[in-house]
Amino acid sequence: MRDLLAGPTLPQLICIVVFCCVSWLLLSLRKSLSKPRPRSVAILVLGDVGRSPRMMYHAESFAKLRFETFLVGYEGSKPVPTLLSLPHVHFLYLSQPPPFLRKLPFIVSAPIKILQQVLTILYALLWRIPCPPEFILVQNPPSIPTLALVWLVGALRGSKVIIDWHNLGYSILALKLGSDHIFVKLAKMFEAYFGRAAHVHLFVTQAMHGFLVKEWKLQGLKAVLHDRPPAHFHPATAFEIHELFLRISPSLPVAFLPPHDPPASTPLTRVTSSASPSLRPDRPAVLVSSTSWTEDEDFSILLDALSIYEQRARAAHGRLPRVLMFVTGKGPLREPYMRKARSLQDGEGDPWQWVHITSTWLEPGDYPLLLGSADLGISLHSSSSALDLPMKIVDMFGCGVPVCALDFACLSELVIDGTNGVIFQNATGLVDHLENLLEGFPNALNLESLRASFRLAIDRRSISSREDEGWVWNSWDDNWTRVVRPLVLPDVHGIFELEVNDTRTRC
Ligand SMILES: *[C@@H]1O[C@H](CO)[C@@H](O)[C@H](O)[C@H]1NC(C)=O
Ligand SMILES: *[C@@H]1O[C@H](CO)[C@@H](O)[C@H](O)[C@H]1NC(C)=O
Ligand SMILES: *[C@@H]1O[C@H](CO)[C@@H](O)[C@H](O)[C@H]1NC(C)=O
């Protein structure tokens, strides 16, 4: 332990101090020389850039307005392809904390890790971006240390700060530690202090907007921008379902599914004489839930509901379909819950016949296809702050799939009970909805009427933007242009004014 401490930290400490002094000097020098460059933005995500869809859409929206767009974050999953092809987007990846930290005890490694993060972020924002950006957009949470750094860089370089409030960092910490823990209180003070003043605050829900404005007295412009799924999320065609199930059905239990003979048929589809696949009438109903398997999702509700469904389906004499339940996602509680699921469905001498739960691993590209193939989505999300909305429902809606969602405070900003989904409070509520929606499947009238809402919502959007005619599902671009664009380009109205003035590239 002593050796580990004495080895790497002392020389590092000296380097850090020298680095700080030198950068400070150069910084003051540069600051007097350069002003923020108009129409440029740094977007900071303290996480895997490729797994931060919302920040990638912001980047795309800015880049389409010809902002020089610098995305700062960790390298991991592949970013969305459109982003890679836009000319004004630059990826600045942060280096990962050195691996030896993992061997140190938390109390030692945590401060070193934060220090390393602070330095790499400052280095990226102050040096790797050549001219001070006009805007710095930061995702919150994580709040520590990003909010403070962005605040500092904003003050030093004159950049305007935009905070995109996805959730509250301290409320996530409180899930682990309890809300009375001293760390949670400190985190809350930090977040409230450094989050208070910004040029623009964006919120993922109206509820978060209301709460923060009231509680923390936020200063700056404020706007709500709901989440939307990536553009390639769409209802799957029979052909896509066929292709997907050719790939994944080998991992599904043969006995449970209707007989199939790839490549001519899959559990859901069959190639008919016309040579294009179509959905088969004896298919099971496909339900899908995606989760990050964390404490804020109580999966036992789903397991209880499916146990009851199994009993009801046995007694229903064919009125209810078989249910193939996909649960996607990775996370800490996956193993315990899936073990429980397996032991339930294996029964004790009496295995389930009407329900099968599987947590098949999917290629990332298959996730939207699976959602698009589903008949119904299930969300067990309950928010740590009760102020954010589950992205998985947004994704399902993008695929035209209605949802059964566990109720929580601001769910009504997304799910309209009886129009695009149904809402439940507990396992009995869920199984009642399942029975009601799936009865008569594949000709399930109640389910069909929910699914029809999506076709209408999309039609309404293309015909008119009036909101009094019923539910409209508008896109990220629609609202970004309407809500955010006027905040970042207040003086530019026509597209011709976007033409790049070459002189501005000097810095
Ligand atoms: C766009 O704005 C409308 C009206 O404010 C809202 O209902 C809708 O959810 C918003 N969509 C997005 C993507 O923010
Ligand atoms: C389940 O929720 C319903 C409302 O949807 C409620 O009437 C019922 O009492 C709840 N059951 C339990 C066991 O809490
Ligand atoms: C471009 O910018 C320069 C300096 O800011 C300004 O003098 C010039 O008028 C601009 N040109 C156009 C076409 O806007």
Side-chain angles (χ1 to χ4, degrees):
M1 172 74 194
R2 268 183 79 94
D3 286 343
L4 276 175
L5 269 181
T9 47
L10 192 66
Q12 267 190 350
L13 213 65
I14 297 171
C15 290
I16 287 163
V17 171
V18 172
F19 175 84
C20 289
C21 298
V22 172
S23 49
W24 199 262
L25 271 175
L26 290 173
L27 188 71
S28 338
L29 201 75
R30 279 167 63 101
K31 193 184 174 255
S32 56
L33 294 180
S34 58
K35 279 206 183 112
R37 168 182 170 175
R39 229 176 278 169
S40 62
V41 61
I43 298 180
L44 174 62
V45 196
L46 201 57
D48 182 346
V49 171
R51 289 179 63 180
S52 307
R54 187 173 161 99
M55 301 317 268
M56 291 191 285
Y57 305 152
H58 275 304
E60 202 176 323
S61 299
F62 272 112
K64 281 189 196 151
L65 291 183
R66 306 205 190 169
F67 273 71
E68 283 305 320
T69 304
F70 299 88
L71 251 169
V72 184
Y74 291 109
E75 188 166 13
S77 315
K78 214 163 169 268
V80 294
T82 43
L83 208 52
L84 296 172
S85 63
L86 282 168
H88 298 282
V89 180
H90 315 273
F91 290 89
L92 301 184
Y93 288 123
L94 301 171
S95 54
Q96 297 281 355
F100 75 83
L101 284 183
R102 264 181 247 129
K103 296 194 208 108
L104 298 179
F106 179 77
I107 192 86
V108 184
S109 67
I112 303 182
K113 193 173 153 208
I114 292 190
L115 195 65
Q116 190 264 358
Q117 273 181 341
V118 168
L119 293 178
T120 50
I121 294 170
L122 284 181
Y123 177 60
L125 292 180
L126 296 174
W127 299 105
R128 292 173 68 194
I129 300 178
C131 317
E134 183 180 7
F135 297 100
I136 302 181
L137 170 64
V138 62
Q139 164 186 324
N140 182 74
S143 332
I144 303 173
T146 37
L147 281 187
L149 295 182
V150 161
W151 174 86
L152 176 73
V153 173
L156 286 176
R157 301 190 98 183
S159 308
K160 296 175 195 151
V161 173
I162 304 176
I163 304 180
D164 197 22
W165 295 92
H166 295 198
N167 205 332
L168 299 176
Y170 79 88
S171 75
I172 294 176
L173 196 62
L175 276 182
K176 277 205 197 98
L177 302 176
S179 53
D180 293 331
H181 197 284
I182 176 78
F183 283 178
V184 175
K185 290 191 173 144
L186 287 175
K188 183 173 176 180
M189 276 164 55
F190 181 96
E191 202 170 358
Y193 182 79
F194 289 107
R196 182 160 302 140
H199 182 62
V200 176
H201 300 273
L202 299 174
F203 308 91
V204 287
T205 60
Q206 200 64 51
M208 188 167 300
H209 176 225
F211 176 83
L212 286 180
V213 168
K214 184 159 152 279
E215 294 290 312
W216 289 0
K217 318 244 172 337
L218 298 187
Q219 293 156 17
L221 305 166
K222 300 163 199 95
V224 176
L225 191 67
H226 286 125
D227 278 320
R228 282 298 176 266
H232 63 285
F233 280 54
H234 62 255
T237 60
F239 180 76
E240 286 170 319
I241 299 176
H242 187 76
E243 297 277 296
L244 173 69
F245 276 79
L246 284 179
R247 285 199 293 279
I248 64 177
S249 55
S251 63
L252 299 173
V254 175
F256 178 82
L257 299 165
H260 54 280
D261 180 22
S265 60
T266 73
L268 300 192
T269 52
R270 158 154 73 210
V271 180
T272 44
S273 48
S274 63
S276 65
S278 58
L279 290 174
R280 50 196 286 175
D282 58 351
R283 66 186 189 273
V286 174
L287 269 49
V288 59
S289 186
S290 60
T291 175
S292 43
W293 298 106
T294 47
E295 290 85 354
D296 57 354
E297 283 188 48
D298 181 1
F299 245 74
S300 58
I301 298 180
L302 179 63
L303 297 183
D304 291 347
L306 292 176
S307 306
I308 306 173
Y309 183 90
E310 168 74 24
Q311 302 311 323
R312 291 195 190 172
R314 285 181 187 195
H317 306 295
R319 242 182 347 100
L320 292 176
R322 285 175 198 266
V323 163
L324 182 55
M325 173 83 233
F326 286 93
V327 186
T328 71
K330 287 187 208 154
L333 299 180
R334 176 164 181 254
E335 253 327 288
Y337 274 123
M338 283 314 294
R339 211 177 309 126
K340 174 138 186 262
R342 278 192 296 274
S343 85
L344 276 174
Q345 62 190 351
D346 291 345
E348 276 155 25
D350 182 20
W352 285 2
Q353 296 152 22
W354 294 88
V355 179
H356 181 80
I357 307 175
T358 172
S359 66
T360 323
W361 189 84
L362 291 172
E363 298 284 340
D366 283 344
Y367 173 63
L369 290 177
L370 180 69
L371 288 188
S373 311
D375 296 292
L376 184 64
I378 292 184
S379 164
L380 297 161
H381 175 96
S382 70
S383 164
S384 58
S385 58
L387 300 170
D388 69 328
L389 288 165
M391 196 59 205
K392 57 179 147 270
I393 301 186
V394 174
D395 290 342
M396 287 164 187
F397 283 3
C399 294
V401 177
V403 70
C404 274
L406 179 65
D407 200 11
F408 67 90
C410 62
L411 187 66
S412 60
E413 282 186 46
L414 183 60
V415 180
I416 303 166
D417 200 7
T419 299
N420 53 18
V422 289
I423 295 174
F424 61 88
Q425 262 77 24
N426 50 38
T428 347
L430 173 55
V431 74
D432 288 348
H433 282 313
L434 291 182
E435 191 176 352
N436 177 27
L437 291 174
L438 296 180
E439 185 170 351
F441 185 87
N443 302 308
L445 296 180
N446 294 334
L447 182 60
E448 274 314 308
S449 95
L450 292 185
R451 294 179 70 92
S453 304
F454 288 87
R455 292 189 286 273
L456 281 175
I458 290 166
D459 289 347
R460 275 197 204 101
R461 184 185 150 220
S462 49
I463 297 167
S464 75
S465 56
R466 286 179 54 197
E467 277 160 29
D468 52 358
E469 289 168 12
W471 181 55
V472 183
W473 180 247
N474 42 17
S475 69
W476 171 271
D477 279 338
D478 294 343
N479 283 23
W480 203 93
T481 306
R482 192 166 59 80
V483 173
V484 183
R485 188 188 144 141
L487 302 176
V488 295
L489 276 183
D491 307 324
V492 179
H493 303 292
I495 189 76
F496 62 91
E497 286 181 66
L498 284 176
E499 289 307 319
V500 181
N501 184 344
D502 276 340
T503 55
R504 80 187 168 94
T505 55
R506 256 191 260 132
C507 162

